[in-house]
Amino acid sequence: MAMEGGGTLSEIYQNSKRLLLRTRDGLERLERLEFSSPTGIDSPELSFSIKRDISQIHSLCVEMDRLWRSIASKPQRDLWKRKVEQVAEEVDSLKESLDKHLLRNQKRMMEAKERAELLERANGDSAHVLRIFDDEAQAMQSARNSSLMLEEAYSTGVAILSKYAEQRDRLKRAQRKALDILNTVGLSNSVLKLVERRHRVDKWIAYTGMTVTVIVVCAFWRWTH
């Protein structure tokens, strides 16, 4: 699934809010199925879709967390920090609700299977019921496996984004160091030129002093003789 993000911080934030609404609606549908179905077993496709949306929102939170830190204005930076934290808290709450629902559903499936096995041992006529629950259990297991794969992909994406941010910071530090070196070299050249000019002036002062001294000595010698 392509990431429903990209663009500016505001656009990514709007995408995350839209996904939150869709996730909440999906959870409400799961709860209605849970209490309306005779066996209380929901749709594996719907559970997987909700899990996928939650992982997508987590990815958007990672991207928004990177973007708000680069805002120059502190008031705006603080505002966006609170917004991103609110989204992260909401998606964590939705994930907790989904996990609880899946645990309840798994428990009901196990209890129903155990009842069917008891019936089979009692009259030998519940093989069909067992096959129904086995098929549903396999479908739920497939959904959980898909969710695990999605979580692994999300973790890999987070690691890549973190590595990219680290490399970008290292490049910025290298650029600043290079600029400092260039500035230092420029300053050293200026100092060398100033020393050279001062050396030439000192040489002319020395030569002039020697000449004046010779003239004074010669004049004094002639005056005394």
Side-chain angles (χ1 to χ4, degrees), residues 35-77:
F35 295 109
S36 63
S37 172
T39 59
I41 298 175
D42 61 355
S43 168
E45 293 81 9
L46 180 57
S47 298
F48 177 75
S49 176
I50 295 172
K51 190 77 170 180
R52 182 182 57 192
D53 285 343
I54 289 174
S55 295
Q56 177 67 32
I57 298 170
H58 276 132
S59 298
L60 294 178
C61 285
V62 172
E63 182 66 13
M64 288 190 294
D65 187 74
R66 182 182 67 83
L67 290 175
W68 73 255
R69 296 176 186 277
S70 62
I71 298 176
S73 171
K74 188 178 185 302
Q76 286 295 318
R77 191 165 62 248

Side-chain angles (χ1 to χ4, degrees), residues 155-172:
S155 300
T156 302
V158 171
I160 291 173
L161 288 175
S162 300
K163 191 67 176 178
Y164 170 76
E166 179 182 347
Q167 291 176 350
R168 184 189 59 186
D169 293 338
R170 187 181 299 115
L171 179 59
K172 285 184 178 181

Side-chain angles (χ1 to χ4, degrees), residues 39-122:
T39 59
I41 298 175
D42 61 355
S43 168
E45 293 81 9
L46 180 57
S47 298
F48 177 75
S49 176
I50 295 172
K51 190 77 170 180
R52 182 182 57 192
D53 285 343
I54 289 174
S55 295
Q56 177 67 32
I57 298 170
H58 276 132
S59 298
L60 294 178
C61 285
V62 172
E63 182 66 13
M64 288 190 294
D65 187 74
R66 182 182 67 83
L67 290 175
W68 73 255
R69 296 176 186 277
S70 62
I71 298 176
S73 171
K74 188 178 185 302
Q76 286 295 318
R77 191 165 62 248
D78 293 341
L79 175 63
W80 277 109
K81 178 184 178 183
R82 289 193 295 271
K83 286 185 175 182
V84 174
E85 288 175 346
Q86 288 175 355
V87 172
E89 290 173 358
E90 288 183 45
V91 73
D92 286 341
S93 176
L94 292 174
K95 183 179 184 301
E96 182 179 359
S97 297
L98 177 62
D99 291 340
K100 289 179 179 179
H101 169 81
L102 293 176
L103 286 175
R104 291 195 305 269
N105 195 59
Q106 184 178 13
K107 182 179 179 181
R108 281 194 299 271
M109 288 176 59
M110 294 301 297
E111 292 173 350
K113 186 174 181 179
E114 290 172 358
R115 287 194 298 270
E117 289 173 346
L118 289 174
L119 288 173
E120 183 181 43
R121 286 195 296 269

Side-chain angles (χ1 to χ4, degrees), residues 31-38 40:
E31 291 176 356
R32 288 195 295 270
L33 285 172
E34 179 179 2
F35 295 109
S36 63
S37 172

Side-chain angles (χ1 to χ4, degrees), residues 3 8-9 11 15 27-28 37 68 75 77 95 103 115 124 128 140 149 163 188 193 207:
M3 177 175 285
T8 65
L9 177 57
E11 291 171 345
N15 283 337
L27 281 172
E28 290 175 358
S37 172
W68 73 255
R77 191 165 62 248
K95 183 179 184 301
L103 286 175
R115 287 194 298 270
H128 177 66
M140 288 301 297
M149 292 175 62
K163 191 67 176 178
S188 299
K193 290 178 180 179
Y207 291 152

Side-chain angles (χ1 to χ4, degrees), residues 1-6 12 15-16 18-19 22 53 56 60:
M1 177 182 176
M3 177 175 285
E4 299 184 38
I12 298 175
N15 283 337
S16 68
R18 178 169 54 82
L19 284 171
R22 191 166 74 185
D53 285 343
Q56 177 67 32
L60 294 178

